[in-house]
Amino acid sequence: MTFDVLQVDLLTSRYNYYAVVLLLGIGLYMLIESPNLVKKVIGMNIFQTGIFLFFISLAFRSGANPPVVTKGGGPYVSPLPHVLILTAIVVGVSLTAVALALIVRIYSEYGTLDEDTLEELYYD
Amino acid sequence: MTDVASLRPLAAVLVSALAIPVILSLKSKPNVREGVTLTVAGAKLAIVASMVPDVLSGTVYVTRIADFGTGLSLVLRADALGILFGLLASLLWVVTSFYSIGYMRGLSEHAQTRYFASFAASVASAIGVAFGANLLTVFVFYELLTVSTYPLVTHDETDEARAAGRKYLTYTFGGGVAVLGGTLLVFFLTGTTAFTPGGIEALSTADPTLAKAAFALLAAGFGVKAALMPAHSWLPDAMVAPTPVSGLLHAVAVVKSGVFGIARVVLDVFGTDLMADLGVALPLAAVAAFTLLAASVIALRQDNLKRRLAYSTISQLSYIVLGLALLEGNALIGGLLHIPAHAFMKLTLFFCAGAIHVETHTDDISDMAGIGRRMPLTMAAFAVAAAGMAGIPLVAGFVSKWYLVIGALEGGQAVFAAALLVSGVLNIAYFWPVVYQAYFETPEAHDQKPLVSAVFGGREAVVADGGGGTDGSRASSGPRSDGAEASEADSPDLTHEDADRHVADGESDEHDDSVPRPEQVDHLGKRHEDAEYHGGPPEGGWERQGWQGQESTWFMLGPILTAATLSLALGIVPRLAVFLRIVETVVGGLPGVAL
Amino acid sequence: MIEHLPVLLVVLPIVGGALPLVASLYTDRAGWPIAVVAMLGHAAIAGLLAGQVWADGVVTYAVGGFALPYGIELVVDGLALAVVALISAISLGVLAYARHAGPHENTFYSQLLLLVTGLTGMTVTGDVFNLYVFLEITGLAAYGLVASGRAASAAVAALKYLIIGTVGASLYLLGVGYALAATGTLNMADMNAKLAAVGYDSTLVLTAFGLMVGGLTVKVALFPLHTWQPDAYANSPDSVSAFISALVSTVSAYALARLLFSVFTVDFLTAVPAARWALIAVASVSIVAGSALAVSQSSVQRMLAYSSVSQFGLVIAGFAVATPIAVVGATVHLVGHAVMKGGLFAASGIIERETGADTVGGYAGMGSRTPIAAGAFTVLALGMVGVPPAIGFVGKWYILVGAVEAEIWPVVAVLLLSTLLTLAYFARLGERLYFAEPTIREEAAVADGGEGSRGPRSSSDRRSGGGEGAVSAGMLAVVVIAAVLAVALTAAVPALEQLLNQTLPPLIQ
């Protein structure tokens, strides 16, 4: 009986971690499967977003306030992971920017964004 | 033995190493370049020789190059065993340098600068192996020896030379890896790799399985260069190198460094007592005895003179290993004395083969009937050295063989004494025909050599490539009628070479036909099938030369006669010719060995 | 100022990296002098730090004055110092090479200095998340540098590198998250104690270890996560491949070691044998697979890339054995490999410029046409094989001794085998260089356009500008110095050992 309750509890209270796993999976799948380069970059972004969600979930304390001075005192959600995520988001944005710049160049040189076609041209 | 710190061991190694850039820069001035080689060789000999009297009286010179802790210490130590090899290598380098000049110029060889520079590097490494005071130093110079001799093996730059070079590298680097593994194990078991006469103490109390594994690795690793079977096949293929290389390196420096390594392992790492306790000496002796006999038998069937000498080398090296493995005082003396003895004799033989090649472009024994007329001094030296190989008294080979046989008998292992005596008979069997036909036969009328030309299994046996047996002018049908067909000097040679090729099938069936067998190719890369190639006697037989040395240049004759004289000296007055005294110092300094 | 040295080490290159962009308002060739000045400053600071570390053992610095463990800490101990010195030296060497050879635009030098920032930051940081930030800075700069090749394939290679590298770095970040969840801190020294308190068999800790190490393994390019490396090295300009091959994987391997020893410690490896054996297995497979793949390559630069895969397997194996001697050996090999691999890429660049040869077959007979470069190449190759007394041998010997003492026999066997495996692909090149007939005719080699006897795929397209075929004395000097160092550094090993022995005992107990 206790075991069952535990299972249900597990399912309902940890939903953000499931979301994390889902996002990681979707992102990875897009990275590997889709032949379009832009979609790969999108997949990369989704993958990173999953990680961001993971960090934020770590920070949460039930019944706590946002870690901003004006939002009332008392227990704060841990601000450290939030700071880490801000940095990581910036990193992710730069990476996406570089990746897209490269894609623009690839498109102008090869005329295609399809991975399989590119492979043929590359090893020509 | 007192150790004295000195720079002389390091100087002996460096004097030729530092000459390498000098030689490389003298490409345009060949005479100056040769002068540099000769000067450096002389200097090296002087340095090593200056250490000999002190070693004999008990003073040992030591140079500590680097000490890293964790077993990494590079130390050079000129003790008696080291001086034995060092003196040999440096002395014979002087002789070989003169010979090289004559040989390379006689053939107008390419890449002579690279040749002389690599030679300098090789001898420097060989001296480093000789003077290494611990397994690691020996390993360092052992690898450097491989690297510096590689350009000499592939000197010709033909496909055959490159293939031989690749094989050489594979075998010797493999051997090096085994030596490294063994060194590691010894270091792990004892905390040191330094050579101690009588063996490293801690090894006798270490785990016997690991100690045996260490010995197996070290013996196998050094055994590759010492051409113990089955790791011997790089040596005949390396005969594609120029003859001075085959002589000095593959009869003296490289193979002797392998044997020397085994000597160090047996005497100074494990010690005779531990060897007997572990029971590893008997397998080593068995392998050596097998190699002795098998190589002699294979040598009987070689028609190419250099390949016959190569197999003879493989056989004679096992004399040394056998002597070491018998662990008995006289056997040790015999084995160690055979190092210089064989070196002098084999160098003479190789130099003769090279002189014959330069002067007459003849490489095959079957073409050498009556060549004593053309090159009397050369063949005389050949005869002396060959006699020594068989163990005839008055030549160096007899002294070492005497000690070996006595040692085998005293140790109660008569089967090895029997093997040595049988090998002596086989040596006569493959050297005597060469000498006899040189002086007492003519190209027009000479006996065929059934051991070389006959087919395994008799005349009616199916030859591997089929159809060869019906070739009308096979040598097995009586004396060749060369004189009658003298006007077409090429065709008798071609057909004769056909016969040889078929005959030689017996021992190299698996050979790929697209790469000619090394015995068909001289070191100029010319295949014997080429129409313009002509070895063997010119029309009308060999021209008679006198005994005053008109047969060849003195650059080549001098070293030949010197090496032959050294063999005689070592045979007649072995103690005066210092080597026996050195060997007795070595063996006398070993605790636990009764003389 | 003295007490701010560690942070200056990172600040100087980043400020220096901004300057060429500013200078491009006036001139387009200001990049090189600015980079040289910045790197000389970097080297000077490293020298001063060296003196301090030698005296005190460890130099720590709290960035911004924030107290530990809340602030970010920079820690320079013996191991870090060795790597910082390596970064300075190699950067100066590559700059000397790039003066004539490399891309000349300002942006190239900006990116180069940014890369140096990232590498230095990775080396001196004492904070796990800070390591991620600098890891990504390194990555971004590297992607940009790889893409600076003129050919279109450079962009594709850079994109591939970017995607795979980002996945790796993200995995590392995820691992940091787990570690944060387990311990609540990001400071390495603090995490050390807290991880031990949590217990090494906890799922959180194990996952953190797996993810962090896995992520870094992608950057080190061990088999089978190496696939970005051959394309990246082969398609980037010579200076870039020399730089990246020498430093990026090296510093990533250092970061892995730092994680292993300062955060998780040897106790973790002992408590979780599966972790140690997993590392050893991956490393051993890398050694063998890298060599096997290298043998089958016909392009010299790809062969060198696969060779890196193999050599880093050696280094990681040394770290995984985790005894003091083995770690010293792995560090020695790390430093030695950086010098040798950088030199090899530089030499192959020179040979390609002068003769147009970039395949194993094309190298035939080049020993006489480019004697200095070919000679340096041969010496460096022999060093990689492990012929003593080159430094490649010393590192191997130490790792072997450590492995034998720890009785990890598979590592011993694979390491001994690695000599023969490395010989297999380098011996072919050496033989071709000196003992074979040239296959590339003299006239065709001078042409820049790519037609001629060079085969269907013109390699010079992939190079950046500067393919006129001319080679400057500076470039030759760089490869000669690299070859000399490959042997001479052996003499410096005792000093390095002493430096490391001050650092290692507290790390490895």
Side-chain angles (χ1 to χ4, degrees):
Chain A
M1 222 15 231
T2 337
F3 189 64
D4 273 4
V5 171
L6 214 58
Q7 293 284 63
V8 174
D9 195 41
L10 216 55
L11 278 172
T12 50
S13 65
R14 312 288 174 103
Y15 55 85
N16 37 343
Y17 293 106
Y18 296 125
V20 168
V21 172
L22 201 62
L23 283 172
L24 288 176
I26 293 175
L28 213 49
Y29 179 76
M30 277 186 77
L31 259 179
I32 299 175
E33 193 275 338
S34 56
N36 185 302
L37 291 179
V38 176
K39 286 192 184 162
K40 281 188 195 287
V41 174
I42 296 175
M44 191 174 83
N45 269 285
I46 297 178
F47 186 76
Q48 289 178 321
T49 310
I51 300 179
F52 301 160
L53 183 57
F54 177 73
F55 269 78
I56 295 174
S57 312
L58 285 181
F60 183 69
R61 286 178 66 181
S62 59
N65 285 325
V68 180
V69 174
T70 54
K71 293 286 182 174
Y76 293 112
V77 167
S78 167
L80 181 58
H82 291 224
V83 169
L84 302 184
I85 294 310
L86 283 173
T87 317
I89 291 177
V90 170
V91 170
V93 168
S94 338
L95 282 171
T96 310
V98 173
L100 290 174
L102 286 173
I103 289 177
V104 168
R105 179 164 159 206
I106 292 177
Y107 188 71
S108 72
E109 300 257 18
Y110 285 106
T112 171
L113 282 180
D114 184 78
E115 182 197 20
D116 301 316
T117 322
L118 268 178
E119 210 160 301
E120 286 173 34
L121 290 173
Y122 183 79
Y123 286 110
D124 206 0
Chain B
M1 256 197 297
T2 44
D3 284 5
V4 172
S6 154
L7 276 180
R8 270 193 262 183
L10 185 60
V13 174
L14 282 183
V15 69
S16 64
L18 293 174
I20 297 173
V22 178
I23 294 178
L24 283 173
S25 64
L26 284 174
K27 193 169 177 153
S28 50
K29 304 194 193 101
N31 290 330
V32 181
R33 178 189 67 205
E34 261 73 297
V36 169
T37 304
L38 290 172
T39 318
V40 166
K44 193 187 275 279
L45 177 60
I47 298 177
V48 176
S50 72
M51 292 193 274
V52 173
D54 299 307
V55 168
L56 287 176
S57 62
T59 321
V60 171
Y61 292 109
V62 183
T63 317
R64 299 198 83 89
I65 305 178
D67 245 320
F68 284 10
T70 60
L72 253 187
S73 54
L74 285 179
V75 183
L76 292 176
R77 197 162 169 271
D79 64 350
L81 187 52
I83 279 281
L84 177 68
F85 185 35
L87 183 61
L88 179 70
S90 43
L91 175 62
L92 290 179
W93 188 28
V94 177
V95 174
T96 309
S97 299
F98 281 104
Y99 184 84
S100 292
I101 298 174
Y103 186 88
M104 301 300 266
R105 292 190 182 196
L107 289 173
S108 305
E109 279 278 343
H110 65 287
Q112 288 192 32
T113 314
R114 180 179 75 198
Y115 171 90
F116 282 107
S118 305
F119 236 112
S122 310
V123 183
S125 315
I127 302 284
V129 169
F131 289 160
N134 55 44
L135 274 172
L136 195 77
T137 316
V138 169
F139 171 75
V140 170
F141 285 106
Y142 200 70
E143 298 286 82
L144 286 174
L145 185 61
T146 302
V147 171
S148 33
T149 49
Y150 173 77
L152 292 167
V153 174
T154 34
H155 177 90
D156 284 345
E157 300 182 16
T158 59
D159 287 331
E160 298 77 36
R162 281 199 292 270
R166 256 174 264 147
K167 193 171 191 176
Y168 177 68
L169 265 190
T170 317
Y171 273 79
T172 46
F173 260 102
V177 164
V179 169
L180 184 60
T183 309
L184 265 176
L185 267 182
V186 169
F187 181 69
F188 168 62
L189 291 172
T190 66
T192 173
T193 58
F195 293 135
T196 330
I200 301 179
E201 271 295 331
L203 208 51
S204 47
T205 49
D207 176 13
T209 328
L210 284 178
K212 280 190 225 184
F215 180 80
L217 282 170
L218 286 169
F222 285 120
V224 169
K225 275 210 173 117
L228 283 177
M229 286 187 172
H232 68 288
S233 65
W234 63 269
L235 188 53
D237 288 347
M239 289 298 123
V240 76
T243 306
V245 175
S246 309
L248 185 66
L249 292 183
H250 298 122
V252 176
V254 169
V255 295
K256 292 291 159 51
S257 73
V259 164
F260 178 81
I262 296 185
R264 282 286 195 200
V265 168
V266 169
L267 298 176
D268 292 340
V269 175
F270 282 80
T272 48
D273 291 335
L274 183 58
M275 294 275 299
D277 286 340
L278 285 177
V280 287
L282 195 56
L284 185 62
V287 170
F290 175 76
T291 309
L292 259 177
L293 294 171
S296 299
V297 170
I298 299 180
L300 285 172
R301 287 187 60 82
Q302 299 302 311
D303 194 31
N304 182 294
L305 182 56
K306 276 178 73 175
R307 275 182 84 86
R308 185 173 283 205
L309 293 178
Y311 279 102
S312 167
T313 303
I314 297 175
S315 170
Q316 296 283 325
L317 287 172
S318 294
Y319 278 42
I320 305 173
V321 177
L322 180 61
L324 289 169
L326 288 175
L327 299 178
E328 200 271 335
N330 282 311
L332 288 173
I333 293 185
L336 288 174
L337 188 61
H338 204 60
I339 295 180
H342 169 258
F344 292 141
M345 297 185 295
K346 196 38 76 56
L347 200 62
T348 314
L349 292 171
F350 268 110
F351 283 176
C352 293
I356 294 176
H357 178 85
V358 171
E359 294 296 329
T360 66
H361 289 284
T362 312
D363 298 319
D364 288 344
I365 296 172
S366 42
D367 289 334
M368 287 182 193
I371 204 166
R373 208 162 259 119
R374 167 74 174 78
M375 309 192 71
L377 282 175
T378 310
M379 292 313 293
F382 191 99
V384 168
M389 288 294 219
I392 310 290
L394 288 189
V395 193
F398 171 71
V399 185
S400 48
K401 205 154 183 190
W402 171 263
Y403 277 106
L404 276 172
V405 175
I406 297 282
L409 290 172
E410 276 186 9
Q413 289 153 311
V415 62
F416 295 118
L420 286 166
L421 293 172
V422 168
S423 171
V425 172
L426 287 172
N427 267 286
I428 298 180
Y430 59 74
F431 277 130
W432 173 242
V434 182
V435 176
Y436 178 81
Q437 72 165 8
Y439 285 113
F440 299 112
E441 290 184 357
T442 62
E444 294 79 29
H446 76 125
D447 295 338
Q448 11 98 4
K449 315 283 176 296
L451 279 173
V452 174
S453 57
V455 179
F456 269 143
R459 239 171 263 172
E460 279 75 43
V462 175
V463 186
D465 60 332
T470 57
D471 190 341
S473 39
R474 266 185 79 84
S476 54
S477 47
R480 297 182 310 156
S481 50
D482 274 4
E485 297 174 45
S487 53
E488 303 163 82
D490 300 340
S491 38
D493 292 341
L494 279 176
T495 49
H496 195 261
E497 272 115 39
D498 276 348
D500 291 344
R501 203 178 342 130
H502 298 318
V503 160
D505 271 348
E507 54 98 15
S508 44
D509 277 317
E510 70 283 14
H511 214 97
D512 174 1
D513 272 335
S514 60
V515 178
R517 277 183 284 269
E519 70 260 29
Q520 291 174 266
V521 174
D522 73 344
H523 92 270
L524 295 175
K526 297 205 180 90
R527 302 164 69 129
H528 287 198
E529 286 90 16
D530 287 350
E532 327 99 52
Y533 175 81
H534 69 281
E539 322 170 4
W542 299 108
E543 21 182 272
R544 184 177 272 280
Q545 300 279 2
W547 290 75
Q548 276 89 24
Q550 303 103 312
E551 67 207 55
S552 178
T553 72
W554 278 106
F555 269 118
M556 285 196 283
L557 274 181
I560 292 177
L561 295 174
T562 313
T565 314
L566 283 170
S567 320
L568 280 172
L570 194 50
I572 301 176
V573 282
R575 277 210 181 77
L576 185 59
V578 92
F579 281 102
L580 185 54
R581 267 190 289 163
I582 300 178
V583 171
E584 283 172 348
T585 315
V586 174
V587 181
L590 293 172
V593 173
L595 258 183
Chain C
M1 204 199 42
I2 279 290
E3 61 275 8
H4 294 293
L5 279 179
V7 79
L8 276 178
L9 206 55
V10 181
V11 166
L12 184 58
I14 211 173
V15 169
L19 287 178
L21 294 174
V22 172
S24 60
L25 289 171
Y26 301 102
T27 162
D28 200 39
R29 290 272 167 149
W32 192 82
I34 296 178
V36 171
V37 168
M39 287 320 300
L40 283 174
H42 189 270
I45 299 177
L48 287 171
L49 259 180
Q52 273 193 308
V53 173
W54 195 273
D56 303 332
V58 177
V59 171
T60 61
Y61 179 84
V63 176
F66 286 105
L68 303 170
Y70 302 111
I72 295 179
E73 189 189 18
L74 300 179
V75 177
V76 185
D77 62 3
L79 189 57
L81 183 67
V83 179
V84 168
L86 184 69
I87 296 175
S88 302
I90 302 255
S91 309
L92 286 169
V94 171
L95 281 172
Y97 184 89
R99 179 155 190 258
H100 186 89
H104 302 292
E105 300 82 25
N106 285 347
T107 48
F108 173 76
Y109 290 100
S110 279
Q111 283 179 316
L112 201 68
L113 285 172
L114 209 59
L115 184 56
V116 172
T117 312
L119 292 169
T120 315
M122 269 176 80
T123 315
V124 300
T125 184
D127 181 288
V128 175
F129 186 76
N130 200 224
L131 184 64
Y132 168 76
V133 174
F134 280 115
L135 185 66
E136 288 288 43
I137 295 180
T138 310
L140 276 168
Y143 311 146
L145 283 173
V146 169
S148 63
R150 283 268 176 270
S153 50
V156 179
L159 187 64
K160 189 173 183 180
Y161 186 11
L162 188 152
I163 291 181
I164 299 182
T166 306
V167 170
S170 305
L171 286 176
Y172 175 80
L173 182 60
L174 200 53
V176 168
Y178 276 95
L180 179 61
T183 61
T185 176
L186 290 170
N187 182 281
M188 282 186 190
D190 203 22
M191 200 180 268
N192 186 334
K194 296 226 167 99
L195 277 174
V198 170
Y200 290 135
D201 48 354
S202 122
T203 326
L204 272 176
V205 174
L206 290 175
T207 323
F209 179 79
L211 285 170
M212 286 164 98
V213 167
L216 282 174
T217 312
V218 173
K219 289 290 190 174
V220 174
L222 288 181
F223 187 90
L225 303 161
H226 66 289
T227 46
W228 58 268
Q229 206 179 51
D231 287 332
Y233 287 7
N235 286 299
S236 47
D238 306 332
S239 333
V240 171
S241 15
F243 195 84
I244 295 188
S245 67
L247 285 181
V248 171
S249 295
T250 308
V251 176
S252 308
Y254 158 82
L256 216 159
R258 178 60 68 192
L259 265 185
L260 262 180
F261 299 126
S262 293
V263 178
F264 285 94
T265 77
V266 182
D267 295 334
F268 174 81
L269 286 176
T270 338
V272 188
R276 168 182 277 177
W277 285 104
L279 265 179
I280 290 180
V282 170
S284 309
V285 171
S286 268
I287 295 176
V288 176
S291 307
L293 286 166
V295 171
S296 60
Q297 296 303 311
S298 60
S299 155
V300 172
Q301 295 218 318
R302 290 181 78 92
M303 194 189 82
L304 291 175
Y306 283 110
S307 165
S308 279
V309 173
S310 175
Q311 297 294 319
F312 274 106
L314 237 150
V315 170
I316 299 299
F319 283 135
V321 168
T323 62
I325 296 183
V327 173
V328 170
T331 314
V332 167
H333 199 75
L334 204 60
V335 170
H337 171 264
V339 171
M340 291 189 290
K341 194 42 74 64
L344 278 169
F345 269 104
S348 76
I350 291 180
I351 294 179
E352 208 263 330
R353 268 163 206 286
E354 272 199 49
T355 65
D358 66 339
T359 59
V360 175
Y363 265 40
M366 290 308 161
S368 42
R369 242 185 258 175
T370 55
I372 302 181
F377 192 97
T378 312
V379 171
L380 289 165
L382 284 174
M384 288 285 256
V385 169
V387 174
I391 197 164
F393 169 71
V394 179
K396 249 187 226 186
W397 167 261
Y398 274 78
I399 302 179
L400 277 169
V401 171
V404 168
E405 280 184 3
E407 303 198 14
I408 306 184
W409 304 111
V411 172
V412 175
V414 173
L415 236 58
L416 285 176
L417 211 59
S418 71
T419 311
L420 292 176
L421 292 171
T422 319
L423 183 68
Y425 53 84
F426 274 126
R428 289 188 310 160
L429 273 178
E431 180 197 288
R432 290 286 152 76
L433 277 175
Y434 291 106
F435 299 104
E437 288 303 308
T439 51
I440 297 185
R441 291 191 324 271
E442 193 85 46
E443 332 68 75
V446 176
D448 179 28
E451 60 272 355
S453 55
R454 237 176 294 154
R457 183 162 186 82
S458 163
S459 59
S460 68
D461 289 349
R462 290 191 238 117
R463 303 282 164 259
S464 75
E468 282 84 31
V471 169
S472 76
M475 294 162 72
L476 287 173
V478 168
V479 291
V480 169
I481 292 178
V484 168
L485 274 180
V487 181
L489 275 177
T490 312
V493 169
L496 181 62
E497 201 181 340
Q498 207 188 344
L499 185 65
L500 288 173
N501 281 335
Q502 282 182 314
T503 324
L504 288 176
L507 292 178
I508 306 175
Q509 278 312 346

